[in-house]
Amino acid sequence: MMTPDAIVLSGLADDVSIYIDQWGISHIRAKNKRDLFFAQGYNAARDRLWQIDLWRKRGLGLLAADFGPGYLEQDRAARLFLYRGDMQTEWDAYCEDAEEIATTFVQGINAYVDLIDRGDAELPPEFSLFGTSPARWKAEDVVRIRSHSLMRNALSEVIRANVMSRTDAGIDELRQALVPAKDPFVADGIILDEIPLEVTDTFKLALAAVTFEEQRLSAQLDEAGLWRKVAGTGEVVRDASAQGSNNWVIHGSRTESGRPILANDPHRTHAIPSLRYLVHLTCPEFDVIGAGEPCLPGICIGHNGNSAFGLTLFFGHDQEDVYVYEISPEDRDLYRYGGNWERMVVLQEHIALRDGSSTALTLRFTRHGPVVYEDASLNRAYAIKSVWFDPGTAPYFASIASMRTKCFADFRDTMARWGVPATNQVYADKGGTIGWVVAGFSPVRPNWDGLLPVPGDGRYEWNGYFAAAELPAVSNPETGFLATANEPNLPAEWDQSEKQIGYEWLERSRADRISEVLSGDSRHSIRSSGALQADSTSLAARRLVRLLRMLDASTAASVAEAQAIFEGWNHRLDADSASAALFEVWWSKHLRPGLFRLITDNPSVRTLLLPGDPEAVLALMEKPDHRLGTDPVAARDALLASTLETALVECRDMLGVVPSGWRWGTLHQAHFIHATSNIYKEKLRLNGDVGPLEKGGSDSSPMNASYRISDFRVTLGASVRVVVDVGAWDNSLCINAPGQSGNPSSKHYGDLAEKWSRGEFVPLLYSQGRVDEATEQRIVLTPGR
């Protein structure tokens, strides 16, 4: 046995061992629960201190103290969305030991910071770059921060209002399809063309990652307003519409081993270090392993030696609304409610600045939520109501209870306490049960659909939430498997006219491909699940190429040439595929923008429609209608031919004149870019980036590899992947890209990236013997006396 690194820490009751395996996964063994979560916090700081410190400062609105006035507006935005309710009610909403767990977790973080202060641990290089220090945490910091989550659909409401004010709901359907189809409700008193896009700025800034540019870092106080909008690399997805995930559970009757299999690959924006962190937590009370977020105790994807669990976003859940108020021209803090003037809650918060001074920011709140925009010319104010402001809605924190359950009934019971984000929770256990539960606080809107802003005068109020028992749940289905991929998956018997959950989902292509594969495989294996997570098949390509074959090749040279390139193609978006390169360049950069130019001559509307709802666009191509003009079929055929021509020209320019030499991976590459990359290279000469790595797939393949259209760089997809062999736990697989560590000098900073890019895995070892065999480093935390 290797000689362990021994570290003395006050705050522990007994020794704790951290075994770090050859893939950078920490296996933490403690003799009691309290020490275990203390050690998890310590370990998170050991591996990811810069990341979690920035997470805390961003979420609490404390960036300006470290980075200057250029971050004041982001601080203000974040503070608008903090939880400000009673803390005891908040803790009680999760489970009886929630406060204890959070308290010991942050004590562990603080213990590592203490080591740095004493010179007994190395300060991560990013702090030296900025001349800053890691802060100490309070337990409530873990749960008060709400804005590190994915929510629906306030941003989409404002965009829809802007599109409909210039065109109509049929055109907006091409931006975001509604399932089931419906005409959005326009409330009396709402004038769509009076709702500016600027209503979204503050909310987007509250959700945005922290960016570092010289101009922003050197900004003076009078320049703070220049950073009121998200820009450049900090831009977030408008309404999280590209964010998604896959999961499935397969009954033992359909597997090679006779045991259930659970697979999960959450898709989020790529970053370095990764959003998720793999960890193994063992104490006498429980033994769990899997992925969570390094800033939170526990895990949300993995298993506990009896039950396995995973999640995707239940995308249709609408947990936000935009309210529009009439404000008094004499007093901007008064808004009309119920026929009377009601006073906003106005807070003055003092924010520390980097130079040691401070400044005051004003925050305004209505009874519905924070005021995010004011239009003095029209005497209007806009606020966002969100489930975030209710107790129990710290994102993912409820998993500290669900990860410990041992049967489906208990697992489903804990989901009644799961507030945010709305999720498809899948489950499997050693007894053979598999299940699916929809979890998340779902507002009841008695008299509107939540698709457009509504007046904040009292006529449109939530009537509580649907009871958790009312939300969909299934166990041991006849199909033998359950799979979700953010698609419209309400049960057929669910009547949205009676129980309105939401209408905005991701399109079905990933879900349909997963179901296609699982339905055809009666002897599924761990290897099969891993292959399906890396499946690059595009059903969008299958549908469009089928349509292209029906066109008369003699009418356009572009059609004939494209038909030849696509001949015999299996519709897989592999990195070495010429067909994939042409298809994606055509589909994303030419066909969809070309369609939007055809249906509207308003450039601002075209910008709002991009990138477009894939299913709605495909449906229009397959069944052209009046939106394409008086002769829809002819217009569609001309559009296909003309956009193919421009796509072929661009492919020749980028990839060469000979199509057989084209490769999708030449264009489509993953880069994991450190937030301080440009400053690192200039000042520290330390490259914190990983990549480029050739990557197959797209947003329509199970291996989600979404990209920015300007240069095809992969921006989003799975970083963590987990496949669990339920009952034979050491057979389980995982990967975390680009690596487990957040320290650029660590061997585990980018060591998994190449495997990830090839669709490979490493073992997710669980038994003590197998972990001991794979251990490269052992750390022993021992109590200080």
Side-chain angles (χ1 to χ4, degrees):
M1 176 67 72
M2 67 186 66
T3 302
D5 301 322
I7 298 170
V8 178
L9 298 173
S10 60
L12 288 171
D14 215 324
D15 286 354
V16 179
S17 291
I18 303 174
Y19 299 79
I20 303 167
D21 67 27
Q22 65 196 77
W23 305 284
I25 301 171
S26 295
H27 304 259
I28 305 173
R29 300 176 191 161
K31 296 175 183 175
N32 61 78
K33 179 182 67 176
R34 188 190 177 286
D35 283 354
L36 179 66
F37 285 111
F38 182 103
Q40 186 187 9
Y42 173 92
N43 184 69
R46 179 192 65 82
D47 237 2
R48 300 283 191 95
L49 182 59
W50 164 257
Q51 180 189 33
I52 66 173
D53 184 76
L54 193 62
W55 180 92
R56 175 185 175 275
K57 289 169 179 172
R58 193 206 94 174
L60 293 176
L62 301 172
L63 295 172
D66 275 6
F67 309 117
Y71 296 82
L72 269 174
E73 289 297 330
Q74 191 162 4
D75 283 347
R76 179 182 177 276
R79 291 179 184 221
L80 286 170
F81 291 93
L82 285 171
Y83 174 73
R84 294 176 179 272
D86 177 71
M87 282 309 302
Q88 192 57 56
T89 306
E90 168 74 1
W91 295 122
D92 292 345
Y94 302 105
C95 55
E96 63 181 10
D97 55 358
E99 184 176 9
E100 175 195 1
I101 288 172
T103 298
T104 55
F105 179 77
V106 302
Q107 286 172 348
I109 295 174
N110 294 340
Y112 190 81
V113 175
D114 290 341
L115 289 183
I116 291 174
D117 286 349
R118 296 201 304 265
D120 294 330
E122 185 178 354
L123 184 72
E126 296 92 340
F127 293 102
S128 299
L129 171 65
F130 293 109
T132 60
S133 301
R136 286 167 177 78
W137 293 52
K138 298 178 182 177
E140 55 263 33
D141 297 345
V142 174
V143 294
R144 288 190 65 223
I145 298 171
R146 305 298 214 216
S147 54
H148 292 280
S149 181
L150 300 176
M151 296 283 283
R152 301 282 286 190
N153 67 341
L155 300 178
S156 185
E157 290 182 24
V158 176
I159 296 168
R160 177 172 292 107
N162 277 261
V163 173
M164 287 179 57
S165 70
R166 295 164 174 81
T167 57
D168 57 42
I171 299 300
D172 187 64
E173 181 84 2
L174 295 170
R175 176 190 66 86
Q176 172 64 69
L178 302 180
V179 182
K182 77 179 310 293
D183 292 326
F185 172 78
V186 182
D188 181 40
I190 292 294
I191 302 173
L192 297 181
D193 62 9
E194 291 184 352
I195 299 174
L197 277 173
E198 286 78 8
V199 172
T200 67
D201 289 345
T202 294
F203 193 26
K204 289 167 69 175
L205 191 57
L207 301 174
V210 184
T211 62
F212 299 103
E213 303 89 20
E214 290 291 352
Q215 185 182 7
R216 190 178 187 188
L217 288 164
S218 61
Q220 301 301 305
L221 186 58
D222 60 356
E223 299 173 308
L226 296 175
W227 285 272
R228 284 187 181 136
K229 292 187 178 184
V230 175
T233 56
E235 186 166 1
V236 293
V237 178
R238 291 192 196 101
D239 56 0
S241 60
Q243 311 268 357
S245 308
N246 305 323
N247 65 19
W248 54 85
V249 278
I250 306 166
H251 194 270
S253 61
R254 295 186 63 87
T255 68
E256 186 177 74
S257 67
R259 296 184 297 270
I261 292 172
L262 181 145
N264 199 177
D265 54 311
H267 307 154
R268 296 288 293 272
T269 301
H270 286 327
I272 190 166
S274 168
L275 170 68
R276 298 261 160 58
Y277 186 76
L278 293 158
V279 69
H280 186 181
L281 306 172
T282 303
C283 68
E285 291 93 334
F286 57 88
D287 187 1
V288 301
I289 186 170
E293 299 192 10
C295 50
L296 298 177
I299 63 170
C300 58
I301 298 165
H303 72 82
N304 59 26
N306 183 85
S307 307
F309 39 87
L311 54 85
T312 67
L313 291 182
F314 183 70
F315 221 74
H317 243 138
D318 182 354
Q319 296 182 304
E320 298 169 340
D321 278 307
V322 177
Y323 283 89
V324 186
Y325 307 90
E326 176 190 354
I327 57 175
S328 168
E330 285 79 31
D331 187 341
R332 61 184 290 199
D333 295 335
L334 295 177
Y335 63 99
R336 184 79 68 182
Y337 187 83
N340 299 307
W341 292 112
E342 186 164 306
R343 185 162 294 279
M344 296 178 187
V345 174
V346 181
L347 301 179
Q348 292 285 332
E349 298 208 347
H350 292 273
I351 297 185
L353 299 177
R354 182 176 51 194
D355 63 4
S357 66
S358 66
T359 189
L361 290 180
T362 301
L363 310 179
R364 289 180 167 84
F365 301 85
T366 71
R367 61 168 51 223
H368 299 115
V371 175
V372 295
Y373 185 76
E374 297 177 53
D375 186 339
S377 65
L378 294 176
N379 293 320
R380 295 282 186 272
Y382 298 81
I384 292 178
K385 183 175 176 64
S386 171
V387 301
W388 270 341
F389 307 126
D390 283 355
T393 57
Y396 300 102
F397 187 71
S399 60
I400 61 170
S402 60
M403 71 176 188
R404 293 181 274 176
T405 56
K406 297 295 184 71
C407 69
F408 184 61
D410 289 347
F411 183 78
R412 185 178 181 186
D413 285 346
T414 63
M415 289 301 115
R417 295 171 175 255
W418 185 286
V420 172
T423 50
N424 294 286
Q425 298 274 349
V426 292
Y427 170 95
D429 63 34
K430 288 196 304 185
T433 295
I434 66 171
W436 162 68
V437 184
V438 171
F441 294 172
S442 183
V444 177
R445 296 175 179 84
N447 58 335
W448 87 106
D449 55 26
L451 292 171
L452 286 165
V454 292
D457 57 13
R459 290 178 291 151
Y460 301 96
E461 299 290 349
W462 294 358
N463 186 21
Y465 298 135
F466 286 110
E470 294 182 79
L471 298 178
V474 175
S475 63
N476 297 328
E478 292 183 6
T479 58
F481 68 88
L482 294 158
T484 78
N486 322 111
E487 79 284 11
N489 64 337
L490 284 170
E493 64 274 13
W494 190 275
D495 184 358
Q496 283 243 68
S497 65
E498 294 292 329
K499 294 185 290 186
Q500 217 172 207
I501 280 184
Y503 299 90
E504 298 185 337
W505 310 79
L506 288 192
E507 48 94 12
R508 302 192 54 89
S509 59
R510 284 185 293 112
D512 287 347
R513 173 58 180 168
I514 291 167
S515 181
E516 178 181 80
V517 171
L518 295 182
S519 297
D521 185 359
S522 61
R523 290 180 58 78
H524 197 79
S525 67
I526 291 294
R527 296 181 303 280
S528 304
S529 271
L532 184 52
Q533 287 184 338
D535 186 295
S536 66
T537 304
S538 167
L539 298 193
R542 185 188 294 176
R543 291 168 67 178
L544 272 177
V545 170
R546 183 188 301 129
L547 185 64
L548 187 61
R549 291 195 199 103
M550 298 168 60
L551 298 185
D552 185 351
S554 65
T555 60
S558 59
V559 172
E561 185 174 357
Q563 286 177 338
I565 293 171
F566 291 140
E567 183 65 31
W569 183 36
N570 59 6
H571 311 112
R572 290 182 61 90
L573 305 173
D574 293 331
D576 61 358
S577 170
S579 300
L582 174 59
F583 176 78
E584 286 299 319
V585 171
W586 174 43
W587 167 235
S588 65
K589 201 167 183 181
H590 296 276
L591 179 56
R592 283 185 277 182
L595 170 63
F596 300 149
R597 287 193 297 272
L598 178 62
I599 63 175
T600 177
D601 58 5
N602 188 322
S604 65
V605 172
R606 294 199 295 264
T607 299
L608 293 174
L609 294 177
L610 286 170
D613 186 289
E615 177 57 36
V617 172
L618 286 167
L620 183 59
M621 292 297 95
E622 292 168 337
K623 294 183 178 180
D625 61 29
H626 66 279
R627 288 173 289 183
L628 298 183
T630 56
D631 190 344
V633 173
R636 185 271 315 273
D637 292 352
L639 174 69
L640 293 175
S642 65
T643 55
L644 271 170
E645 175 62 34
T646 55
L648 285 162
V649 169
E650 183 164 12
C651 283
R652 292 189 195 102
D653 289 344
M654 293 188 297
L655 299 170
V657 296
V658 181
S660 61
W662 297 351
R663 301 177 75 261
W664 177 221
T666 302
L667 302 175
H668 190 242
Q669 299 183 348
H671 297 241
F672 295 90
I673 306 297
H674 194 284
T676 64
S677 177
N678 57 333
I679 302 173
Y680 262 141
K681 291 173 182 176
E682 294 174 6
K683 293 188 176 180
L684 291 186
R685 298 185 181 181
L686 175 63
N687 187 1
D689 302 342
V690 174
L693 301 162
E694 289 194 351
K695 189 72 175 164
S698 76
D699 58 349
S700 70
S701 61
M703 182 175 68
N704 188 349
S706 299
Y707 54 87
R708 62 189 190 199
I709 295 174
S710 60
D711 61 0
F712 304 99
R713 175 178 288 188
V714 179
T715 56
L716 179 147
S719 53
V720 159
R721 296 188 184 116
V722 174
V723 182
V724 180
D725 188 340
V726 178
W729 308 111
D730 285 331
N731 295 337
S732 301
L733 303 172
C734 67
I735 198 75
N736 192 15
Q740 278 280 97
S741 178
N743 188 337
S745 65
S746 168
K747 65 175 288 188
H748 298 301
Y749 182 73
D751 59 328
L752 299 179
E754 291 282 354
K755 287 181 177 292
W756 167 86
S757 70
R758 296 191 297 265
E760 298 174 4
F761 293 83
V762 301
L764 185 65
L765 299 177
Y766 186 65
S767 67
Q768 183 167 332
R770 293 291 305 279
V771 170
D772 289 345
E773 291 172 2
T775 295
E776 284 192 340
Q777 180 186 5
R778 184 183 172 202
I779 300 170
V780 174
L781 309 181
T782 191
R785 303 300 180 190

